Amino acid sequence: MGEAERGDSAPRVHVSYFCANGHETRQAFAVGAEYPMEWDCPRCGLPANTDSENPPPPPHILPYKTHLAYVKERRTDTEAKEILSEAVADLRARRLAGEAIY
């Protein structure tokens, strides 16, 4: 297939985007169309913009928190010891009562 079957292609303008890792990405847009000021870098996934001297900084990603980390935010060590001793006492009472606890 060539231009004879599809028709003439629209005139294009190439826009360069730069990420914090120094990658350059060139995207083609139709002449007269609005193009985005930011674009995701296809190599590293960081945001990129059209300013080669001042690319956007990488986003700050918070590390994954475990369930234990969230619990420690809510309770002090003394509260945790109290809750544990209550749970152990309840378990022992249920075992003495003959309940099957696995």
Side-chain angles (χ1 to χ4, degrees), residues 13 15 17 28-37 39:
V13 62
V15 179
Y17 292 94
F29 296 97
V31 172
E34 289 187 33
Y35 55 88
M37 295 309 296
W39 194 270

PDB file of all heavy atoms in Angstrom, residues 13 15 17 28-37 39:
ATOM      1  N   VAL A  13       4.414  17.574  12.293  1.00  0.00           N
ATOM      2  CA  VAL A  13       5.494  18.257  12.990  1.00  0.00           C
ATOM      3  C   VAL A  13       5.996  17.295  14.068  1.00  0.00           C
ATOM      4  O   VAL A  13       5.208  16.591  14.701  1.00  0.00           O
ATOM      5  CB  VAL A  13       5.019  19.605  13.602  1.00  0.00           C
ATOM      6  CG1 VAL A  13       3.945  19.399  14.635  1.00  0.00           C
ATOM      7  CG2 VAL A  13       6.185  20.367  14.200  1.00  0.00           C
ATOM      8  N   VAL A  15       7.836  16.660  17.645  1.00  0.00           N
ATOM      9  CA  VAL A  15       8.090  17.330  18.919  1.00  0.00           C
ATOM     10  C   VAL A  15       8.979  16.420  19.753  1.00  0.00           C
ATOM     11  O   VAL A  15       8.707  15.224  19.882  1.00  0.00           O
ATOM     12  CB  VAL A  15       6.763  17.619  19.661  1.00  0.00           C
ATOM     13  CG1 VAL A  15       7.021  18.295  20.989  1.00  0.00           C
ATOM     14  CG2 VAL A  15       5.845  18.462  18.799  1.00  0.00           C
ATOM     15  N   TYR A  17      10.618  15.303  23.338  1.00  0.00           N
ATOM     16  CA  TYR A  17      10.375  15.302  24.788  1.00  0.00           C
ATOM     17  C   TYR A  17      11.616  14.745  25.466  1.00  0.00           C
ATOM     18  O   TYR A  17      12.235  13.805  24.972  1.00  0.00           O
ATOM     19  CB  TYR A  17       9.167  14.421  25.120  1.00  0.00           C
ATOM     20  CG  TYR A  17       7.857  14.974  24.617  1.00  0.00           C
ATOM     21  CD1 TYR A  17       7.343  14.589  23.388  1.00  0.00           C
ATOM     22  CD2 TYR A  17       7.141  15.884  25.377  1.00  0.00           C
ATOM     23  CE1 TYR A  17       6.139  15.093  22.934  1.00  0.00           C
ATOM     24  CE2 TYR A  17       5.938  16.396  24.923  1.00  0.00           C
ATOM     25  CZ  TYR A  17       5.442  15.998  23.708  1.00  0.00           C
ATOM     26  OH  TYR A  17       4.254  16.504  23.265  1.00  0.00           O
ATOM     27  N   ALA A  28       5.312  12.464  16.539  1.00  0.00           N
ATOM     28  CA  ALA A  28       4.796  13.202  15.385  1.00  0.00           C
ATOM     29  C   ALA A  28       3.349  13.590  15.647  1.00  0.00           C
ATOM     30  O   ALA A  28       2.538  12.763  16.102  1.00  0.00           O
ATOM     31  CB  ALA A  28       4.886  12.348  14.131  1.00  0.00           C
ATOM     32  N   PHE A  29       3.024  14.855  15.378  1.00  0.00           N
ATOM     33  CA  PHE A  29       1.668  15.370  15.520  1.00  0.00           C
ATOM     34  C   PHE A  29       1.298  16.090  14.230  1.00  0.00           C
ATOM     35  O   PHE A  29       2.159  16.585  13.504  1.00  0.00           O
ATOM     36  CB  PHE A  29       1.570  16.353  16.696  1.00  0.00           C
ATOM     37  CG  PHE A  29       1.849  15.715  18.029  1.00  0.00           C
ATOM     38  CD1 PHE A  29       3.110  15.803  18.600  1.00  0.00           C
ATOM     39  CD2 PHE A  29       0.857  15.040  18.701  1.00  0.00           C
ATOM     40  CE1 PHE A  29       3.371  15.227  19.821  1.00  0.00           C
ATOM     41  CE2 PHE A  29       1.117  14.445  19.926  1.00  0.00           C
ATOM     42  CZ  PHE A  29       2.374  14.543  20.493  1.00  0.00           C
ATOM     43  N   ALA A  30       0.010  16.153  13.960  1.00  0.00           N
ATOM     44  CA  ALA A  30      -0.456  16.875  12.781  1.00  0.00           C
ATOM     45  C   ALA A  30      -0.167  18.360  12.961  1.00  0.00           C
ATOM     46  O   ALA A  30      -0.248  18.904  14.064  1.00  0.00           O
ATOM     47  CB  ALA A  30      -1.948  16.651  12.582  1.00  0.00           C
ATOM     48  N   VAL A  31       0.184  19.011  11.873  1.00  0.00           N
ATOM     49  CA  VAL A  31       0.449  20.448  11.920  1.00  0.00           C
ATOM     50  C   VAL A  31      -0.846  21.147  12.331  1.00  0.00           C
ATOM     51  O   VAL A  31      -1.918  20.851  11.832  1.00  0.00           O
ATOM     52  CB  VAL A  31       0.937  20.956  10.541  1.00  0.00           C
ATOM     53  CG1 VAL A  31       1.020  22.466  10.525  1.00  0.00           C
ATOM     54  CG2 VAL A  31       2.277  20.344  10.203  1.00  0.00           C
ATOM     55  N   GLY A  32      -0.750  22.041  13.278  1.00  0.00           N
ATOM     56  CA  GLY A  32      -1.913  22.780  13.749  1.00  0.00           C
ATOM     57  C   GLY A  32      -2.604  22.129  14.938  1.00  0.00           C
ATOM     58  O   GLY A  32      -3.434  22.756  15.582  1.00  0.00           O
ATOM     59  N   ALA A  33      -2.291  20.872  15.239  1.00  0.00           N
ATOM     60  CA  ALA A  33      -2.903  20.191  16.378  1.00  0.00           C
ATOM     61  C   ALA A  33      -2.177  20.596  17.659  1.00  0.00           C
ATOM     62  O   ALA A  33      -0.976  20.884  17.650  1.00  0.00           O
ATOM     63  CB  ALA A  33      -2.825  18.684  16.202  1.00  0.00           C
ATOM     64  N   GLU A  34      -2.918  20.622  18.747  1.00  0.00           N
ATOM     65  CA  GLU A  34      -2.282  20.896  20.040  1.00  0.00           C
ATOM     66  C   GLU A  34      -1.597  19.629  20.520  1.00  0.00           C
ATOM     67  O   GLU A  34      -2.168  18.547  20.455  1.00  0.00           O
ATOM     68  CB  GLU A  34      -3.333  21.329  21.060  1.00  0.00           C
ATOM     69  CG  GLU A  34      -3.901  22.701  20.807  1.00  0.00           C
ATOM     70  CD  GLU A  34      -4.805  23.142  21.934  1.00  0.00           C
ATOM     71  OE1 GLU A  34      -4.535  22.765  23.096  1.00  0.00           O
ATOM     72  OE2 GLU A  34      -5.768  23.848  21.648  1.00  0.00           O
ATOM     73  N   TYR A  35      -0.384  19.771  20.975  1.00  0.00           N
ATOM     74  CA  TYR A  35       0.329  18.609  21.497  1.00  0.00           C
ATOM     75  C   TYR A  35       0.525  18.798  22.998  1.00  0.00           C
ATOM     76  O   TYR A  35       0.596  19.912  23.511  1.00  0.00           O
ATOM     77  CB  TYR A  35       1.672  18.394  20.775  1.00  0.00           C
ATOM     78  CG  TYR A  35       2.593  19.584  20.774  1.00  0.00           C
ATOM     79  CD1 TYR A  35       3.479  19.788  21.815  1.00  0.00           C
ATOM     80  CD2 TYR A  35       2.579  20.490  19.723  1.00  0.00           C
ATOM     81  CE1 TYR A  35       4.332  20.866  21.821  1.00  0.00           C
ATOM     82  CE2 TYR A  35       3.429  21.575  19.725  1.00  0.00           C
ATOM     83  CZ  TYR A  35       4.301  21.757  20.777  1.00  0.00           C
ATOM     84  OH  TYR A  35       5.134  22.834  20.776  1.00  0.00           O
ATOM     85  N   PRO A  36       0.588  17.689  23.760  1.00  0.00           N
ATOM     86  CA  PRO A  36       0.719  17.784  25.217  1.00  0.00           C
ATOM     87  C   PRO A  36       2.086  18.320  25.617  1.00  0.00           C
ATOM     88  O   PRO A  36       3.078  18.093  24.943  1.00  0.00           O
ATOM     89  CB  PRO A  36       0.519  16.347  25.696  1.00  0.00           C
ATOM     90  CG  PRO A  36       0.838  15.503  24.519  1.00  0.00           C
ATOM     91  CD  PRO A  36       0.491  16.307  23.303  1.00  0.00           C
ATOM     92  N   MET A  37       2.118  19.008  26.748  1.00  0.00           N
ATOM     93  CA  MET A  37       3.384  19.545  27.248  1.00  0.00           C
ATOM     94  C   MET A  37       4.218  18.457  27.923  1.00  0.00           C
ATOM     95  O   MET A  37       5.423  18.589  28.029  1.00  0.00           O
ATOM     96  CB  MET A  37       3.133  20.697  28.226  1.00  0.00           C
ATOM     97  CG  MET A  37       2.472  21.905  27.560  1.00  0.00           C
ATOM     98  SD  MET A  37       3.306  22.479  26.069  1.00  0.00           S
ATOM     99  CE  MET A  37       4.865  23.006  26.706  1.00  0.00           C
ATOM    100  N   TRP A  39       4.925  14.054  28.309  1.00  0.00           N
ATOM    101  CA  TRP A  39       4.768  12.763  27.658  1.00  0.00           C
ATOM    102  C   TRP A  39       5.545  11.745  28.474  1.00  0.00           C
ATOM    103  O   TRP A  39       6.607  12.070  29.004  1.00  0.00           O
ATOM    104  CB  TRP A  39       5.346  12.856  26.238  1.00  0.00           C
ATOM    105  CG  TRP A  39       4.973  11.739  25.335  1.00  0.00           C
ATOM    106  CD1 TRP A  39       5.644  10.564  25.154  1.00  0.00           C
ATOM    107  CD2 TRP A  39       3.848  11.688  24.471  1.00  0.00           C
ATOM    108  NE1 TRP A  39       5.014   9.787  24.233  1.00  0.00           N
ATOM    109  CE2 TRP A  39       3.887  10.469  23.794  1.00  0.00           C
ATOM    110  CE3 TRP A  39       2.798  12.559  24.199  1.00  0.00           C
ATOM    111  CZ2 TRP A  39       2.936  10.084  22.867  1.00  0.00           C
ATOM    112  CZ3 TRP A  39       1.859  12.179  23.269  1.00  0.00           C
ATOM    113  CH2 TRP A  39       1.922  10.954  22.618  1.00  0.00           C
TER     114      TRP A  39
END
